[in-house]
Amino acid sequence: MLYWLLYQKLFPYFRLFRIFRYLTFRTVFASLTALLIGLLIGPYVIDRLREFQIGQYIREEGPQSHQKKSGTPTMGGVLICISILVPTLLWSDLSNPFVWLVMLSTLAFGAIGFADDYIKVVHRRNLGLTARAKLGLQLLVSGGVAVTLLALKSHGNYSTQMTFPFLKRFRPDLVWSSLGHIPHLHWLAVLPFVIFVMIVIAGASNAVNLTDGLDGLAIGCTIIAAGALTVLTYVSGHVVFSDYLELQRMPMISELTIFCGAMVGASIGFLWYNAHPAEIFMGDVGSLALGGAIGTVAVAIKQELLLPFIGGVFILEALSVMLQVGSYKLRNGKRIFKMAPLHHHFELLGWSESKVIARFWILALIFALLALTTLKLR
């Protein structure tokens, strides 16, 4: 809105406002705006959640040290979503369809998390939506993102070719055009792309959700992942950098840099209150929304295969749960870890909560730096 007012409308009369055309300037201000919103309305949100008695219910089978956290206000993801979406609305070009796609995806995943958290609060237990219902809704939203991207492709604004780390020339297209000419089976041409997008976005959403188990762990890793995405989005849309790094350049993608910057600022603002000992938890509202946002941005900028690096800690946490469940079912109750997700395993090994959080943040930073180095090492 400010971009529309200050640049598109007032720039012809006030030449000083030309500064608002620059993406880097608007990204910085979006980050600062998100941070200020988080810091300023954080206490109000915490007080309202306490007033409505919206507290966290700790699972009984979890570490006993976590039982003292029961009753801490949850559903703080509402604060995160406000802090991301308001600056994006203020500082981005709202005529850009990618901006709306990412914002609506974030809202949709946040709504799924809200429903899950609301059921937990109403029933006063740590069980919300069933796993099947939650996954079904996540896949539905992810499928909607895929269909929207296909519509953008039909107008020449998106490419379904994949970008592989370390490989410059290998860019397979996930839309199999050869199948599009078969009568009554033309929908098979886009099926691989739709399935891939659904797996990536829903997987990212669940991975962040599983990581949200210690004070500041998930949001700290999100700051690092969002920071890496800010860089990747900027270079993907920049005519010089994309050409130099031999990336698929999509000019309209660059506007998502503002959204990613807002995600960094919002996450830092939330960490102020979520740092150990946490005054508020993000709940499924926040974790699903952030995961959905990360996955959607990665797919939009064609860097979905870098997600194992961008969100390395999230992937490790998700893999630990998958391995634990698989081992338990296939090996007659034998477990690989003392407890999954992985952060609980290290807690039971005797690591303090603060040490687990700090070391996982370090791992997240290393993974993010590896993701950025792949841009040139191809």
Side-chain angles (χ1 to χ4, degrees):
M1 294 178 185
L2 288 178
Y3 172 77
W4 171 82
L5 175 64
L6 298 177
Y7 178 66
Q8 294 184 332
K9 293 299 180 182
L10 297 181
F11 170 60
Y13 308 101
F14 303 96
R15 307 304 292 180
L16 180 64
F17 287 165
R18 67 180 180 274
I19 195 171
F20 291 99
R21 67 178 288 190
Y22 297 113
L23 190 65
T24 49
F25 179 85
R26 289 185 287 128
T27 300
V28 170
F29 268 77
S31 298
L32 293 175
T33 303
L35 174 59
L36 286 175
I37 290 174
L39 292 177
L40 292 176
I41 71 172
Y44 174 81
V45 172
I46 293 172
D47 288 342
R48 295 290 77 75
L49 292 175
R50 284 179 177 154
E51 180 181 328
F52 295 131
Q53 298 183 343
I54 301 177
Q56 179 69 39
Y57 293 90
I58 307 299
R59 58 174 182 165
E60 296 180 357
E61 66 272 18
Q64 290 303 306
S65 60
H66 288 205
Q67 296 304 315
K68 61 184 179 183
K69 300 181 181 182
S70 181
T72 301
T74 187
M75 296 177 72
V78 173
L79 173 61
I80 297 173
C81 289
I82 293 172
S83 300
I84 293 175
L85 297 177
V86 171
T88 303
L89 288 169
L90 289 175
W91 295 105
S92 64
D93 181 0
L94 297 181
S95 66
N96 189 307
F98 287 98
V99 171
W100 286 105
L101 173 64
V102 175
M103 286 199 299
L104 291 175
S105 174
T106 303
L107 272 177
F109 277 99
I112 297 171
F114 183 88
D116 191 47
D117 284 336
Y118 182 78
I119 293 172
K120 293 176 184 177
V121 171
V122 169
H123 293 284
R124 298 185 179 276
R125 57 190 174 90
N126 194 43
L127 294 173
L129 291 171
T130 64
R132 181 175 296 181
K134 184 189 293 186
L135 181 59
L137 290 171
Q138 289 173 309
L139 291 174
L140 181 64
V141 174
S142 302
V145 172
V147 172
T148 304
L149 290 173
L150 288 171
L152 290 171
K153 171 185 167 63
S154 67
H155 290 86
N157 295 321
Y158 184 74
S159 170
T160 52
Q161 288 185 328
M162 297 181 65
T163 300
F164 274 77
F166 307 111
L167 300 175
K168 293 182 180 180
R169 310 300 178 191
F170 186 55
R171 294 180 177 178
D173 197 333
L174 287 178
V175 173
W176 298 347
S177 301
S178 58
L179 295 177
H181 304 293
I182 302 176
H184 308 297
L185 293 177
H186 56 275
W187 56 272
L188 289 175
V190 301
L191 190 60
F193 175 76
V194 173
I195 292 176
F196 179 72
V197 170
M198 291 169 68
I199 292 173
V200 169
I201 299 178
S205 181
N206 281 306
V208 177
N209 185 236
L210 291 170
T211 306
D212 182 31
L214 300 179
D215 299 349
L217 175 58
I219 200 66
C221 293
T222 298
I223 294 170
I224 296 169
L229 282 174
T230 303
V231 175
L232 290 169
T233 305
Y234 182 72
V235 299
S236 295
H238 194 284
V239 61
V240 176
F241 292 149
S242 60
D243 181 65
Y244 174 69
L245 297 170
E246 299 187 50
L247 300 173
Q248 298 182 52
R249 181 175 179 262
M250 294 173 285
M252 298 182 74
I253 286 296
S254 60
E255 205 65 24
L256 291 184
T257 309
I258 294 168
F259 177 88
C260 293
M263 187 156 49
V264 172
S267 299
I268 295 174
F270 185 76
L271 180 60
W272 184 270
Y273 301 105
N274 186 234
H276 184 71
E279 300 173 58
I280 187 174
F281 296 142
M282 69 169 69
D284 283 10
V285 182
S287 58
L288 294 186
L290 288 172
I294 290 171
T296 303
V297 171
V299 169
I301 65 174
K302 303 308 303 168
Q303 297 296 342
E304 54 271 273
L305 293 183
L306 279 182
L307 274 179
F309 295 104
I310 297 170
V313 168
F314 299 137
I315 301 300
L316 288 177
E317 295 272 40
L319 284 176
S320 70
V321 173
M322 294 168 64
L323 290 172
Q324 186 85 323
V325 173
S327 176
Y328 186 83
K329 291 184 176 180
L330 299 176
R331 300 172 62 210
N332 297 319
K334 293 183 179 179
R335 293 177 170 84
I336 299 175
F337 307 103
K338 290 182 177 293
M339 185 178 290
L342 191 60
H343 55 262
H344 289 323
H345 171 77
F346 289 106
E347 278 191 290
L348 294 181
L349 285 178
W351 292 19
S352 67
E353 181 170 349
S354 297
K355 180 171 289 188
V356 174
I357 295 166
R359 289 180 173 176
F360 273 49
W361 284 356
I362 293 171
L363 278 177
L365 180 60
I366 292 172
F367 279 122
L369 292 175
L370 286 174
L372 296 179
T373 59
T374 64
L375 294 177
K376 191 56 184 171
L377 299 177
R378 297 193 306 136

Coordinates of all heavy atoms in Angstrom, one line a residue, residues 41-55 73-74 78 280:
I41 N 3.1 -5.3 19.7 CA 1.8 -5.9 20.1 C 2.0 -7.3 20.8 O 1.0 -7.9 21.2 CB 0.9 -6.1 18.8 CG1 1.5 -7.2 17.9 CG2 0.8 -4.8 18.1 CD1 0.6 -7.5 16.7
G42 N 3.3 -7.7 20.9 CA 3.5 -9.0 21.6 C 2.9 -9.0 23.0 O 2.2 -10.0 23.3
P43 N 3.2 -8.0 23.8 CA 2.6 -8.1 25.2 C 1.1 -8.1 25.2 O 0.5 -8.8 26.0 CB 3.1 -6.8 25.8 CG 4.4 -6.5 25.1 CD 4.1 -6.9 23.7
Y44 N 0.5 -7.4 24.3 CA -1.0 -7.4 24.2 C -1.5 -8.7 23.8 O -2.5 -9.2 24.4 CB -1.4 -6.3 23.1 CG -2.9 -6.4 22.9 CD1 -3.8 -5.7 23.7 CD2 -3.5 -7.1 21.8 CE1 -5.2 -5.7 23.5 CE2 -4.8 -7.1 21.5 CZ -5.7 -6.4 22.4 OH -7.0 -6.5 22.1
V45 N -0.9 -9.4 22.8 CA -1.3 -10.7 22.4 C -1.1 -11.7 23.6 O -2.0 -12.5 23.8 CB -0.5 -11.2 21.2 CG1 -0.8 -12.7 20.9 CG2 -0.8 -10.3 20.0
I46 N 0.0 -11.6 24.3 CA 0.2 -12.6 25.4 C -0.8 -12.4 26.5 O -1.4 -13.3 27.0 CB 1.6 -12.3 26.0 CG1 2.7 -12.7 25.0 CG2 1.8 -13.1 27.3 CD1 4.1 -12.4 25.4
D47 N -1.2 -11.1 26.8 CA -2.2 -10.8 27.8 C -3.5 -11.4 27.4 O -4.3 -11.9 28.2 CB -2.3 -9.3 28.1 CG -1.0 -8.8 28.8 OD1 -0.3 -9.6 29.4 OD2 -0.8 -7.6 28.8
R48 N -3.9 -11.2 26.1 CA -5.2 -11.6 25.7 C -5.3 -13.2 25.7 O -6.3 -13.7 26.0 CB -5.5 -11.1 24.2 CG -5.6 -9.6 24.1 CD -6.9 -9.1 24.7 NE -6.9 -9.0 26.2 CZ -6.2 -8.0 26.8 NH1 -5.5 -7.1 26.2 NH2 -6.2 -8.0 28.1
L49 N -4.2 -13.8 25.3 CA -4.2 -15.3 25.3 C -4.3 -15.8 26.8 O -5.0 -16.8 27.0 CB -2.9 -15.8 24.7 CG -2.8 -15.6 23.2 CD1 -1.4 -16.1 22.7 CD2 -3.9 -16.4 22.4
R50 N -3.7 -15.1 27.7 CA -3.8 -15.5 29.1 C -5.2 -15.3 29.6 O -5.8 -16.1 30.4 CB -2.8 -14.7 30.0 CG -1.4 -15.2 29.9 CD -0.4 -14.4 30.7 NE 0.9 -14.9 30.6 CZ 2.0 -14.2 30.8 NH1 1.9 -12.9 31.1 NH2 3.2 -14.7 30.8
E51 N -5.8 -14.2 29.2 CA -7.1 -13.8 29.6 C -8.2 -14.9 29.1 O -9.1 -15.2 29.8 CB -7.5 -12.4 29.0 CG -8.9 -12.0 29.4 CD -9.2 -10.6 28.7 OE1 -8.3 -9.8 28.6 OE2 -10.4 -10.4 28.4
F52 N -8.0 -15.3 27.9 CA -8.8 -16.4 27.3 C -8.4 -17.8 27.8 O -9.0 -18.8 27.3 CB -8.9 -16.3 25.8 CG -9.5 -15.0 25.3 CD1 -8.8 -14.2 24.3 CD2 -10.7 -14.5 25.8 CE1 -9.4 -13.1 23.9 CE2 -11.2 -13.3 25.3 CZ -10.6 -12.6 24.4
Q53 N -7.4 -17.9 28.6 CA -6.9 -19.2 29.1 C -6.5 -20.1 28.0 O -6.8 -21.3 28.0 CB -7.9 -19.8 30.0 CG -8.3 -19.0 31.3 CD -9.3 -19.6 32.2 OE1 -9.9 -20.6 31.8 NE2 -9.3 -19.2 33.4
I54 N -5.8 -19.5 27.0 CA -5.3 -20.4 25.9 C -3.9 -20.7 26.2 O -2.9 -20.0 25.8 CB -5.4 -19.6 24.5 CG1 -6.9 -19.2 24.3 CG2 -4.9 -20.4 23.4 CD1 -7.1 -18.4 23.0
G55 N -3.7 -21.8 26.9 CA -2.4 -22.3 27.3 C -2.0 -23.6 26.7 O -2.9 -24.3 26.2
P73 N 1.0 -19.4 27.4 CA 0.1 -19.1 26.3 C 0.6 -19.6 25.0 O 1.8 -19.5 24.7 CB 0.2 -17.5 26.3 CG 0.5 -17.2 27.7 CD 1.4 -18.3 28.2
T74 N -0.3 -20.2 24.2 CA 0.1 -20.7 22.9 C -0.7 -20.0 21.8 O -1.3 -19.0 22.1 CB -0.2 -22.2 22.8 OG1 0.4 -22.8 21.6 CG2 -1.6 -22.6 23.0
V78 N -0.4 -16.4 15.7 CA -1.3 -15.3 15.3 C -0.4 -14.0 15.2 O -0.5 -13.2 14.2 CB -2.4 -15.1 16.2 CG1 -3.2 -13.8 15.9 CG2 -3.4 -16.3 16.2
I280 N 5.6 -17.2 25.5 CA 4.5 -17.6 24.6 C 5.1 -18.6 23.6 O 6.2 -18.6 23.3 CB 4.0 -16.3 23.8 CG1 2.8 -16.7 22.9 CG2 5.1 -15.7 22.9 CD1 2.2 -15.5 22.2

